[in-house]
Amino acid sequence: MCGIVGYIGGQEATPVILEGLKKLEYRGYDSAGIATLDEGDAGIRRSEGKLVNLEELLRDQPLAGSIGIGHTRWATHGRPSEINAHPHKAGPIIVVHNGIIENYLQLKEELKQSGHSFKSDTDTEVISHLIEEKLKAAPHFEQAVRLALAELKGAYAVCILNEREPGTLIAAKFGSPLVVGLGSGEYFVASDIPAILAHTREMVFMEDGEMAVFSGDSASFSTIAGIPLDKPARHIDWSPLMAEKGGYKHFMLKEIHEQPRAVRDTIAGRLLEGEGDVYLEDLPFSDRQLAAIKRIIIVACGTSWHAALVGKFYIEGYCRIPVEVDIASEFRYRNPVIDDATLVMVISQSGETADTLAALREAKSRGALNMAICNVVDSSIAREAAGVIYTHAGPEIGVASTKAFVTQLTALYLFTIRLGRAVCALDSASGQRMIAALKRAPALLEEVLKLNATAERVAKKYMNARDFLYLGRGRNFPIALEGALKLKEISYIHAEGYPAGEMKHGPIALIDEEVPVVMLVPKNSAFDKTLSNMEEVIARGGRVIALCSAGDDEVAGRAEDVIEIPALDEDLDPLLLSVPLQLLAYHIAVLKGTDVDQPRNLAKSVTVE
């Protein structure tokens, strides 16, 4: 996600900030900008694209001053452009922001009625205008910031400057990371440790609802409501590479642990709880257009294809519209049957997958209504699709997809609610129930992450197996496919996923005491059938690793090893089951000594056919 750097002290701010932004490039971004104050005069430089563009601009138009803020933007609201790049300025107030403001449209309308004029499409610009508005009534800059932050809903980490108080820098956070570095007569603020590790190893980690005010050579911490806080510093002894990975050994492990945040960000601002509906800001289809859909084709590759298979269960189950799932590399070569009553949905993390992009173009050429689920704003697929649901996973560095997958599942669930309401297949009460379950998912994902040690123990036991089988039923069958793919990708162990009911039609011949069988057996409508399949495996000497619901003694008493997940609506079991499978694959790969983040023969984005 976006990167923030702030500085106040005795050095020139621009080089410090620019260096820090470079250390955050691994987070991904599409534009960048810096603002400084020099004797009360604000200077702002912004550019689209990579930091080299900003550097060139700064060479031609340098910025002076010993206080400043900088930002690298990963677009969420508004396409990548100079006008949407941070910092944003309203009157004397200058802001950089990481996160998503859920109520920005409401605030924007209120501010317009008060005479404010907006230049960008971002949610962030609202913050600068809101603080400017609060300055009319508040006696001090600090108080205006507190009043403004109290009205924000969503997630934010912000750094704020005021031309009228050129010696003050304010930072605050709620739901997005922010760390403060303590120097000798100087202070650093960043969204991640690597940005400031070269200057200090004494860090203060800010918690949700906290604010820091830096003025001169002093720093004070408090709650946003104004209650003073004593925040002890922590000494960081990470290497620069460890810092980039947040202290995790690999990017993949870091990204696995980012999944609760990624799901929260993907649903943020989209849930209309009272109506039992969702708001999908970049999906411009009317209820009438959606109601005219008679058939849906979902097209994707690899992990995204597995997400599509789960989406088929969601859409058919709730919307009663037939869904086909196609592998993108095959789609346009089979002369697909498409008409104007067909919706073709493509799914791609990068938005640049060549086969998926070709499938989208094929669908458009045949007159289909079309849309995309994508993680990268303004990517080729996002630009060419008629509508898009952006996942807010943030940049995914590890080649094996983890957080991109669970956010694709989330986006498909959101789309199901929107479509179901549009075609009158879902009433408001059903939509409310689905939304309530979805809101619980991030917290339960955090619980599932506590299974890391259990997954590592199981991995040590089975790391030398030459083959694995993964079995699941219904919406969990695609998760069996995804678990097998993760193991293949990063550990190079042969693994296959099957519908559990298909075992007797061939795969059962593979089972013996040397083949671990990963069974997905949560308490759901297919539980009894899946349990019977597990018994068939055990009867033939198979070694069962069961992923089951917490407290399920029936499964625990039969399986050789058990990984228990918390209970949630069975529609969302795929989200919770995905995480232990990712952790199991990860730990087996680490134990075998493979390159977890960059497995052999694989690339993050497949941009050729």
Side-chain angles (χ1 to χ4, degrees), residues 134-135 137-141 143-144 165:
K134 297 302 181 185
L135 279 173
H140 304 293
F141 173 34
Q143 184 61 22
E165 294 192 30

Side-chain angles (χ1 to χ4, degrees), residues 63-84:
L63 289 176
S66 58
I67 179 173
I69 54 179
H71 190 267
T72 50
R73 178 176 186 252
W74 174 271
T76 55
H77 294 79
R79 295 183 180 278
S81 66
E82 186 276 332
I83 201 70
N84 286 331

